[in-house]
């Protein structure tokens, strides 16, 4: 039995932990499927899913059992040696997503950094860009992580301020505007090695680009011999109602970045996928990770992906997402507190009718927590709603009623 209270555990984090997060004041102790329980035993629906890392639900028994099995066998060898899981995992994932090669990493930010390095090396060695002149194009409002390189091309001042000097070699264009991308390509195309894009911008507030945008960008990349780099860390693995969000427009990425739900919420796993003409620029000693590709990660990730397929989670997310947005739109029409609902699949955002600087969205999330639903604001006045994909329709209806009840009583 836990002898600590929630407040005591919050106080411990405040005293001994760096203050780099601002959590909703609940202390979670247990999770199963779409629900979590705090230290006092109160039950909540999880509507964040660890930023979409828990698509398969909390503590999925198949994934947990696979982890236990591998934990008792072999966990880490480093890449100084072969291990019995990595090759099988690489074959499974590359065949599932249609690529020749996989480079295994751990965190999402590591995978993005890996893709950037591969793109630059490809730019110099294959596209023949003059040394030190390679450019990678990104989008305004992007979120790809918080490493020094990644924040260098972010326009989120909270993430950037006082972490300079910044890394050069990036141009940012308006998200959702393929004409802006075409203009940059026309001017700098011979020096551009990659275009890095989120199919839906998650942290920016679940911004869904106009239909046809991603396909138009893919066409531009092919015309200018530029790598189309799809960051599907948050949108991939069935979250948006397709296995990948780029599948909605049948985009074929030059590089695919995966993370979060690749782990089933059990252990950090990320990956970069590409074909031989891109991936083969990386030679021994040029990039790596002690933990990347470890047997525990490989066994977990392969099972996590198979669960998504076996339980038809992409199809489920598509259907439940449509239902959720339809029901939420009724609330948007009813309550002045709400401004709009948007999203795809079970990645959705509720816009609060107040300024980004206000605390209205935060206060509403605190009220939701008191009523048994956990969500978190992003960018001030936007609340992201992203439950585990294993949630049932009956549970989703219950959650919609919690949101409605909270709105009715919110002051």
């Amino acid at each position: 039995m836990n002898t600590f209270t929630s407040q005591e555990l919050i106080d411990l984090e405040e005293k001994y932990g760096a203050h780099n997060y601002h959590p909703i004041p609940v202390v979670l102790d247990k999770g199963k499927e779409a629900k979590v329980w705090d230290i006092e035993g109160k039950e909540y629906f999880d509507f964040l899913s660890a930023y979409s890392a828990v698509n398969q639900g909390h503590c999925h028994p198949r994934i947990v059992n696979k982890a236990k099995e591998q934990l008792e066998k072999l966990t880490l060898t480093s890449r100084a040696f072969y291990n019995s899981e990595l090759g099988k995992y690489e074959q499974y994932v590359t065949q599932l997503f249609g690529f020749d090669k996989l480079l295994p990493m751990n965190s999402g930010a590591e995978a993005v950094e890996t893709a950037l390095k591969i793109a630059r090396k490809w730019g110099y060695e294959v596209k023949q860009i003059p040394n030190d002149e390679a450019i990678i194009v990104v989008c305004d409002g992007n979120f790809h992580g918080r490493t020094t390189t990644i924040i260098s091309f972010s326009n989120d001042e909270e993430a950037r301020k006082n972490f300079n000097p910044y890394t050069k070699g990036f141009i940012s264009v308006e998200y959702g505007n393929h004409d802006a991308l075409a203009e940059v390509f026309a001017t700098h195309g011979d020096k551009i090695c990659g275009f890095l894009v989120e199919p839906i911008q998650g942290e920016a507030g679940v911004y869904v680009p106009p239909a046809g945008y991603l396909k138009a960008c893919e066409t531009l990349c092919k015309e200018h011999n530029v790598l189309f780099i799809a960051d599907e860390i948050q949108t991939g693995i069935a979250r948006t109602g397709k296995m990948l969000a780029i599948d909605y427009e049948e985009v074929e990425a030059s590089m695919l970045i995966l993370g979060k739900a690749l782990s089933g919420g059990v252990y950090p796993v990320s990956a970069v996928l590409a074909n031989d003409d891109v991936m083969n620029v990386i030679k021994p000693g040029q990039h790596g990770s002690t933990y990347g590709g470890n047997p525990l990660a490989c066994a977990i990730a392969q099972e996590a992906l198979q669960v998504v397929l076996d339980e038809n989670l992409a199809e489920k997310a598509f259907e439940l997402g449509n239902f959720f947005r339809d029901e939420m739109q009724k609330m948007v029409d009813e309550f002045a507190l709400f401004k709009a609902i948007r999203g795809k699949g079970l990645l959705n955002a509720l816009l609060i009718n107040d300024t980004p600087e206000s605390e209205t969205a935060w206060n509403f999330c605190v009220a939701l927590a008191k009523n048994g639903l956990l969500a978190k604001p992003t960018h001030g006045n936007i609340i992201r709603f992203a439950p585990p994909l294993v949630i049932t329709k009956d549970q989703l209806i219950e959650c919609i009623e919690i949101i409605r009840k909270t709105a009715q009583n919110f002051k």
Side-chain angles (χ1 to χ4, degrees), residues 7 36 38 40 77 91 98 155 178 193 205 207 212 222 268 273 282 286 325 363 396:
Q7 192 56 54
V36 288
D38 69 16
E40 281 82 27
T77 62
Q91 180 186 38
N155 59 349
H178 74 273
C193 58
Y207 280 101
K222 287 179 178 177
L273 290 95
I282 292 292
Q286 295 175 351
R325 281 186 299 280
N363 292 335
L396 192 59

Side-chain angles (χ1 to χ4, degrees), residues 49-329:
S49 300
Y51 301 102
S52 295
V54 194
N55 288 0
Q56 300 89 339
H58 289 277
C59 301
H60 193 290
R62 279 177 52 182
I63 304 172
V64 169
N65 287 338
K66 179 61 71 172
K68 288 178 180 177
E69 179 185 306
Q70 190 62 43
L71 273 166
E72 294 176 349
K73 184 182 178 186
L74 183 67
T75 57
L76 181 65
T77 62
S78 85
R79 295 295 302 281
F81 313 101
Y82 293 93
N83 73 64
S84 56
E85 296 299 319
L86 179 56
K88 294 183 293 185
Y89 163 67
E90 290 170 330
Q91 180 186 38
Y92 178 91
V93 181
T94 53
Q95 290 182 353
L96 178 60
F97 292 105
F99 289 91
D100 296 333
K101 294 279 194 295
L102 179 151
L103 199 162
M105 299 299 287
N106 310 287
S107 73
E110 278 183 302
V112 172
E113 288 275 1
T114 298
L116 298 176
K117 288 178 69 176
I118 294 169
R120 284 177 166 176
K121 202 164 192 294
W122 175 89
Y124 294 128
E125 296 181 4
V126 177
K127 190 171 177 175
Q128 297 292 299
I129 296 171
N131 187 49
D132 205 37
E133 294 183 21
I135 296 168
I136 293 174
V137 180
V138 297
C139 292
D140 298 344
N142 70 77
F143 183 86
H144 300 283
R146 292 191 180 92
T147 63
T148 304
T149 296
I150 292 170
I151 63 162
S152 295
F153 56 79
S154 169
N155 59 349
D156 179 356
E157 282 306 305
E158 193 70 20
R160 281 171 55 89
K161 189 176 180 181
N162 292 336
F163 294 114
N164 51 317
Y166 303 118
T167 307
K168 65 179 184 178
F170 301 95
I171 294 176
S172 189
V173 299
E174 183 184 358
Y175 183 68
N177 182 351
H178 74 273
D179 290 333
L181 184 65
E183 186 176 334
V184 169
F185 278 9
T187 306
H188 303 284
D190 58 333
K191 295 182 180 179
I192 296 173
C193 58
F195 172 56
L196 174 64
V197 64
E198 300 160 88
I200 297 173
Q201 289 191 332
E203 287 297 310
V206 190
Y207 280 101
V208 181
Y213 167 71
L214 295 172
K215 194 68 180 177
C217 292
E218 178 198 17
T219 300
L220 285 169
C221 285
K222 287 179 178 177
E223 289 173 355
H224 292 270
N225 193 23
V226 170
L227 302 179
F228 185 105
I229 309 168
D231 179 349
E232 293 259 13
I233 292 168
Q234 186 169 166
T235 56
I237 322 293
R239 169 55 58 184
T240 67
K242 298 278 188 182
M243 196 62 176
L244 299 174
I246 57 174
D247 291 345
Y248 276 100
E249 297 187 14
E250 299 182 346
V251 168
E252 294 181 5
S254 312
M255 273 196 279
L256 173 65
I257 309 173
L258 296 175
K260 294 192 186 297
L262 186 60
S263 70
V266 171
Y267 184 91
V269 191
S270 64
V272 176
L273 290 95
N275 287 332
D276 287 336
D277 59 334
V278 175
M279 192 68 83
N280 284 344
V281 301
I282 292 292
K283 309 297 183 191
Q286 295 175 351
H287 189 68
S289 162
T290 300
Y291 273 80
N294 71 77
L296 180 60
C298 295
I300 288 170
Q302 187 168 332
E303 189 68 14
L305 287 169
Q306 193 60 49
V307 164
V308 170
L309 298 177
D310 291 347
E311 298 187 9
N312 299 311
L313 294 185
E315 294 86 348
K316 189 174 181 184
F318 183 86
E319 293 171 7
L320 291 182
N322 287 337
F323 172 76
F324 180 73
R325 281 186 299 280
D326 287 345
E327 293 301 307
M328 289 304 302
Q329 185 59 51

